[in-house]
């Protein structure tokens, strides 16, 4: 199946999330168990942040913090940028490239989180097409 939309991309996927009070060790266990690179951080139903492998490495491990004592809320990226589930893959890629991040929470029409996507989810042909278009427009690309 050729993926044409974020909605199609999310079909069959469940959202993996963590609370702000979980330890980094607990969050890393979830990342490993599910084979993913980022978690949505939820306070009840509300998205309050995102925790990526990069956050763990830079803000916990490299900073000499203990993973079993550090809480997700201490190192997560708060109030992450999101994208609507009806947006295009090209729009999602553009948001990630311009923002310099690799994971993007996906929300529905009322702002509830419904999934998480990664830059790796965007098919290669889409990435190349968007990069060529951005180059033609003089905008920065993922390679820059």
């Amino acid at each position: 199946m050729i993926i044409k939309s974020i909605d199609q991309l999310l079909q069959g996927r469940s959202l993996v999330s963590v609370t702000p009070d979980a330890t980094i060790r607990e969050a890393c266990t979830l990342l490993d168990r599910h084979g993913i690179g980022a978690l949505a951080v939820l306070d009840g139903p509300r998205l309050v942040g995102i925790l990526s492998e990069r956050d763990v490495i830079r803000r916990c491990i490299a900073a000499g913090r203990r993973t079993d004592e550090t809480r997700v809320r201490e190192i997560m990226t708060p109030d992450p940028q999101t994208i609507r589930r009806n947006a295009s893959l090209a729009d999602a890629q553009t948001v990630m490239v311009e923002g310099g991040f690799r994971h993007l929470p996906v929300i529905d029409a009322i702002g509830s989180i419904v999934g998480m996507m990664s830059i790796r989810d965007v098919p290669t042909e889409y990435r190349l097409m968007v990069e060529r278009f951005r180059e033609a427009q003089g905008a920065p690309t993922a390679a820059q």
Side-chain angles (χ1 to χ4, degrees):
M1 171 174 79
I2 296 174
I3 297 171
K4 297 178 182 174
S5 69
I6 294 173
D7 251 344
Q8 284 179 317
L9 177 75
L10 295 179
Q11 285 180 357
R13 287 189 185 183
S14 57
L15 176 67
V16 183
S17 65
V18 68
T19 67
D21 291 325
T23 66
I24 297 305
R25 181 179 304 272
E26 293 166 334
C28 288
T29 299
L30 285 173
L31 289 168
D32 182 51
R33 183 181 309 141
H34 294 279
I36 56 176
L39 297 166
V41 182
L42 302 180
D43 187 4
R46 191 171 68 91
L47 177 68
V48 295
I50 183 173
L51 181 74
S52 69
E53 294 166 323
R54 183 182 287 180
D55 293 331
V56 173
I57 292 167
R58 290 183 176 171
R59 298 178 186 157
C60 187
I61 307 289
R65 299 175 82 160
R66 295 179 49 112
T67 60
D68 56 342
E69 294 176 358
T70 306
R71 301 292 169 183
V72 168
R73 71 174 130 45
E74 297 173 48
I75 69 162
M76 71 181 190
T77 300
D79 302 315
Q81 193 160 358
T82 60
I83 193 155
R84 294 212 181 228
R85 72 183 318 157
N86 62 349
S88 72
L89 292 174
D91 289 340
Q93 178 182 341
T94 299
V95 168
M96 287 188 267
V97 168
E98 288 178 356
F101 43 84
R102 297 176 296 198
H103 297 91
L104 190 58
V106 180
I107 58 172
D108 63 15
I110 60 170
S112 298
I113 185 161
V114 295
M116 181 81 69
M117 68 176 293
S118 165
I119 193 70
R120 293 180 308 198
D121 293 326
V122 180
T124 303
E125 58 272 15
Y126 280 71
R127 288 197 308 262
L128 293 172
M129 181 178 62
V130 170
E131 286 182 16
R132 296 305 166 256
F133 177 77
R134 291 178 60 76
E135 285 173 358
Q137 300 296 315
T141 63
Q144 294 177 325

